[in-house]
């Protein structure tokens, strides 16, 4: 069976919505000489997916970043480590009771249709985003938005929300022209106040998008390129050839081309992006009694050789780990990676002690995940576990996978620790429709501490949670997979947590 590249897998996952739009610890190589890079003024990006929608309420965070950040201003951005930083919102203040956030706004800016970007426009955009099918995830705890004065707005919350600013910075705070919102035309014709405008005359939907730089843009220093073009090229080989020919100078890369990229003198940037392994939707035995036993979940960790699966299926592009907090981040603890060192005998011993030596599992399978199926089958067989696969088409996997107590998953990660807790543990997600952490007192108590503290104390509690979840084998994580980006000399790409392709802010000259 031919192994899919990570890019091909991610493209397929995104197409059916299976990838959570989704780190730290980057590595990079560049020109082997110390000669200064020639300045590059024309940015030509090879993305591996077409724009989902020009409407920010419907767009995908992970893959639409370059497209949307070209034409829209965001209220809040993120630094490379997932921390919210000012953008169009120059500052913000969280109320003492944690129930409101007041944003100070940039003034004197207009949309591409000539209307003012003011507090009224920001409120209307936020209300629109809250109702969005995708963008609404950032505003689940918002009661209302209100204009305070001409250059500030207030977000009123129903309860404390430690993740709202992060999700806004990740791609859920783009400001849109009120007239375009009312007209319902944003999906086809973006109207924002970003550093570029879409040139519809020279762009070809699905093939190439060309942009014109906005004169006297307020944050021009963050967007130094005089021209911009984005080419959605789904095939990794075609995208690599486009890089070789000069059609593009930034590429979402295939790790198989790493040696040639270095031979070409391209800059290489890599960061972990998502975890691969078994997602357990049951930790209490509600769906499958055996999974309510920690020894069984631990056995399903010992049974898998994560490093071996990474080498065989992931091409070695990633890090073998059993944690969902990104490798290299503040919470990930490398010492925990030896907790479940590959040990089939230990897996069998734990199953026997739990009275589950004859464990039988039924799991869903689709073409996307077929590349991991042989490794999974072998691991189950070696541990004496019988598995039955329910084959289904790709679109059905998301609809049905979480109804099973366990399934193979590839889920994007967040570098922001609190967002990781929310998305991976406490909040309802397609892959975890009924979070059961509240039924495990030792987990609930730590989550309560996280939700009631701040700063160093809160971070310490998140680290405690990571250790406890590892101990309880909350997942069977095999490895964290890398994203790889190639760029010519003179262009640098900074991978950003949670963004499969970073926004333009993180593609710079240098």
């Amino acid at each position: 069976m031919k192994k899919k590249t990570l890019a091909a897998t991610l493209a397929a996952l995104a197409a059916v919505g299976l990838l959570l739009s989704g780190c730290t610890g980057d590595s990079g190589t560049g020109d082997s000489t110390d000669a200064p890079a020639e300045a590059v003024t024309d940015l030509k990006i090879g993305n591996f997916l077409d724009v989902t929608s020009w409407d920010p309420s419907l767009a995908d965070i992970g893959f639409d970043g370059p497209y949307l950040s070209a034409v829209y201003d965001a209220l809040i951005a993120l630094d490379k480590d997932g921390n919210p930083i000012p953008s169009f919102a120059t500052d913000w203040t969280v109320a003492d009771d944690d129930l409101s956030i007041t944003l100070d706004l940039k003034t004197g800016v207009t949309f591409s249709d000539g209307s003012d970007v003011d507090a009224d426009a920001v409120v209307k955009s936020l209300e629109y985003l809250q109702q969005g099918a995708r963008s609404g995830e950032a505003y689940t705890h918002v009661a209302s938005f209100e204009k305070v004065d001409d250059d500030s707005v207030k977000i009123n919350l129903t309860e404390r929300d430690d993740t709202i600013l992060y999700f806004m910075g990740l791609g859920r705070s783009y400001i849109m022209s009120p007239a375009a919102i009312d007209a319902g035309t944003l999906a086809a014709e973006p109207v924002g106040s970003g550093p570029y405008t879409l040139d519809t005359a020279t762009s070809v939907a699905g093939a190439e998008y060309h942009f014109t730089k906005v004169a006297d843009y307020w944050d021009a220093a963050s967007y130094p390129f005089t021209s911009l073009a984005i080419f959605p090229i789904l095939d990794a080989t075609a995208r690599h050839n486009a890089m070789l020919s000069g059609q593009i100078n930034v590429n979402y890369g295939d790790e198989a081309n790493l040696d040639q990229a270095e031979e070409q003198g391209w800059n290489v940037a890599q960061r972990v992006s998502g975890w691969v392994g078994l997602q357990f939707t049951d930790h209490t035995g509600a769906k499958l009694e055996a999974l309510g036993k920690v020894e069984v979940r631990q056995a399903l960790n010992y049974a898998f050789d994560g490093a071996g699966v990474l080498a065989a299926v992931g091409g070695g592009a990633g890090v073998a780990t059993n944690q969902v907090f990104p490798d290299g981040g503040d919470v990930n603890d490398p010492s925990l990676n030896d907790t479940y060192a590959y040990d089939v005998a230990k897996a069998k011993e734990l199953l026997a002690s739990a009275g589950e030596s004859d464990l039988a599992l039924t799991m869903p399978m689709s073409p996307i995940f077929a590349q991991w199926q042989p490794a999974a089958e072998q691991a189950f067989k070696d541990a004496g576990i019988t598995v039955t696969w329910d084959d289904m088409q790709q679109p059905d996997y998301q609809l049905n996978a979480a109804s099973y107590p366990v399934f193979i998953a590839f889920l994007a990660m967040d570098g922001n620790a609190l967002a990781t807790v929310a998305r991976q543990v406490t909040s309802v997600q397609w892959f975890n429709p009924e979070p059961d952490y509240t039924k495990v007192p030792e987990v609930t108590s730590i989550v309560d501490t996280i939700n009631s503290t701040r700063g160093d104390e809160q971070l310490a509690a998140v680290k405690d949670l990571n250790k406890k979840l590892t101990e309880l084998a909350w997942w069977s994580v095999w490895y964290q997979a890398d994203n790889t980006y190639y760029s010519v000399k003179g262009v640098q790409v900074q991978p950003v947590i949670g963004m499969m392709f970073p926004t333009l802010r993180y593609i710079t000259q240098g």
Side-chain angles (χ1 to χ4, degrees):
M1 179 181 63
K2 184 178 179 181
K3 179 177 75 69
K4 289 184 179 180
T5 65
L6 175 60
T9 299
L10 293 177
L13 289 167
V16 294
L18 285 172
L19 185 68
L20 174 67
S21 301
C23 19
T24 55
D26 61 312
S27 62
T29 59
D31 186 13
S32 59
T33 72
D34 294 328
E38 182 179 349
V40 175
T41 58
D42 302 326
L43 183 61
K44 299 174 289 186
I45 296 173
N47 203 339
F48 65 93
L49 282 179
D50 193 9
V51 62
T52 303
S53 176
W54 292 105
D55 183 338
S57 74
L58 303 174
D60 176 82
I61 284 178
F63 310 96
D64 287 342
Y67 301 103
L68 268 64
S69 63
V71 295
Y72 294 109
D73 273 321
L75 287 168
I76 294 171
L78 299 178
D79 68 13
K80 66 183 181 66
D81 296 317
N83 301 306
I85 58 175
S87 185
F88 198 86
T90 59
D91 196 9
W92 56 82
T93 303
V94 179
D96 291 341
D97 63 2
D98 293 314
L99 294 181
S100 68
I101 304 170
T102 301
L103 306 175
D104 296 327
L105 306 176
K106 181 76 177 175
T107 58
V109 178
T110 59
F111 291 109
S112 58
D113 63 4
S115 60
D116 292 333
V117 186
D118 54 20
D120 290 320
V122 170
V123 168
K124 189 174 185 69
S125 292
L126 289 171
E127 291 174 341
Y128 184 68
L129 290 169
Q130 185 182 26
Q131 299 303 315
R134 287 186 166 180
S135 57
E137 69 169 336
Y139 305 103
T140 56
H141 298 138
V142 171
S144 64
F145 306 98
E146 65 176 281
K147 173 182 176 180
V148 177
D149 51 38
D150 289 341
D151 62 355
S152 60
V153 299
K154 181 185 286 188
I155 303 173
N156 297 305
L157 302 171
T158 59
E159 61 183 76
R160 172 177 164 176
D161 188 342
D162 289 338
T163 62
I164 182 172
L165 294 174
Y166 168 75
F167 286 125
M168 290 175 70
L170 194 61
R172 297 308 188 198
S173 65
Y174 289 118
I175 313 166
M176 301 149 278
S177 162
I181 292 175
D182 290 338
T185 56
L186 283 170
E189 301 176 17
V191 183
S193 57
Y196 302 89
T197 57
L198 179 64
D199 185 345
T200 56
T202 59
S203 298
V204 179
E208 55 187 274
Y209 299 94
H210 298 271
F211 302 82
T212 303
K213 190 165 187 177
V214 173
D216 301 321
Y217 177 65
W218 66 272
D219 190 19
S222 297
Y223 303 90
F225 300 99
T226 56
S227 71
L228 168 67
I230 304 177
F231 300 87
I233 306 173
L234 278 62
D235 181 75
T237 300
R239 204 168 52 251
H240 181 65
N241 290 335
M243 186 85 173
L244 289 171
S245 70
Q247 179 189 357
I248 60 176
N249 52 25
V250 173
N251 179 19
Y252 184 94
D254 181 351
E255 62 276 6
N257 296 321
L258 182 60
D259 289 343
Q260 188 173 15
E262 294 177 344
E263 290 173 2
Q264 293 290 324
W266 295 340
N267 295 315
V268 180
Q270 294 179 297
R271 266 188 164 173
V272 291
S273 62
W275 68 266
V276 181
L278 299 180
Q279 166 73 0
F280 300 140
T281 63
D282 181 12
H283 303 90
T284 65
K287 296 179 181 178
L288 179 65
E289 182 179 356
L291 279 184
K293 303 174 182 179
V294 66
E295 297 90 349
V296 171
R297 300 196 303 272
Q298 290 172 338
L300 290 172
N301 275 262
Y302 282 114
F304 283 86
D305 178 7
V309 179
L310 172 60
V313 184
V319 178
T321 179
N322 48 35
Q323 301 167 69
V324 299
F325 289 88
D327 178 72
D330 290 340
V331 175
N332 182 283
D333 183 352
S335 70
L336 295 176
N337 289 335
D338 293 329
T339 303
Y340 300 109
Y342 178 52
D343 190 335
V344 175
K346 182 68 173 178
K348 289 183 175 181
E349 176 186 328
L350 286 167
L351 290 172
S353 67
E356 300 290 349
S357 295
D358 297 323
L359 180 65
L361 300 174
T362 300
M363 297 172 60
M365 177 51 59
S366 78
I368 291 176
F369 294 95
Q371 60 184 315
W372 289 290
Q373 188 175 11
E377 286 182 331
Q378 188 63 53
F380 289 135
K381 180 180 179 181
D382 291 345
I385 299 169
T386 301
V387 60
T388 300
W389 301 100
D390 285 349
D391 292 322
M392 57 189 68
Q393 295 302 308
Q394 293 175 5
D396 295 327
Y397 199 86
Q398 182 174 358
L399 295 175
N400 298 306
S403 65
Y404 292 77
V406 56
F407 62 92
I408 296 176
F410 188 135
L411 300 176
M413 299 180 298
D414 291 281
N416 182 284
L418 300 177
T420 299
V421 173
R423 276 182 160 172
Q424 302 284 352
V425 183
T426 65
S427 68
V428 173
Q429 303 287 342
W430 73 263
F431 53 87
N432 189 25
E434 298 178 350
D436 57 5
Y437 76 98
T438 58
K439 299 176 182 178
V440 183
E442 52 196 322
V443 175
T444 306
S445 64
I446 302 176
V447 171
D448 288 343
T449 300
I450 292 170
N451 291 336
S452 61
T453 57
R454 292 192 185 281
D456 292 343
E457 186 178 358
Q458 187 180 52
L459 179 60
V462 178
K463 291 180 179 179
D464 289 342
L465 180 66
N466 182 41
K467 185 175 181 179
K468 177 57 64 175
L469 293 174
T470 302
E471 174 188 319
L472 295 176
W474 210 253
W475 310 271
S476 175
V477 179
W478 306 336
Y479 63 90
Q480 295 178 5
D482 280 345
N483 276 344
T484 301
Y485 309 92
Y486 302 140
S487 60
V488 300
K489 290 185 293 184
V491 180
Q492 295 284 348
V493 178
Q494 171 60 64
V496 178
I497 300 159
M499 299 179 185
M500 301 309 296
F501 209 119
T503 59
L504 297 181
R505 172 184 289 271
Y506 306 102
I507 304 175
T508 59
Q509 292 174 328

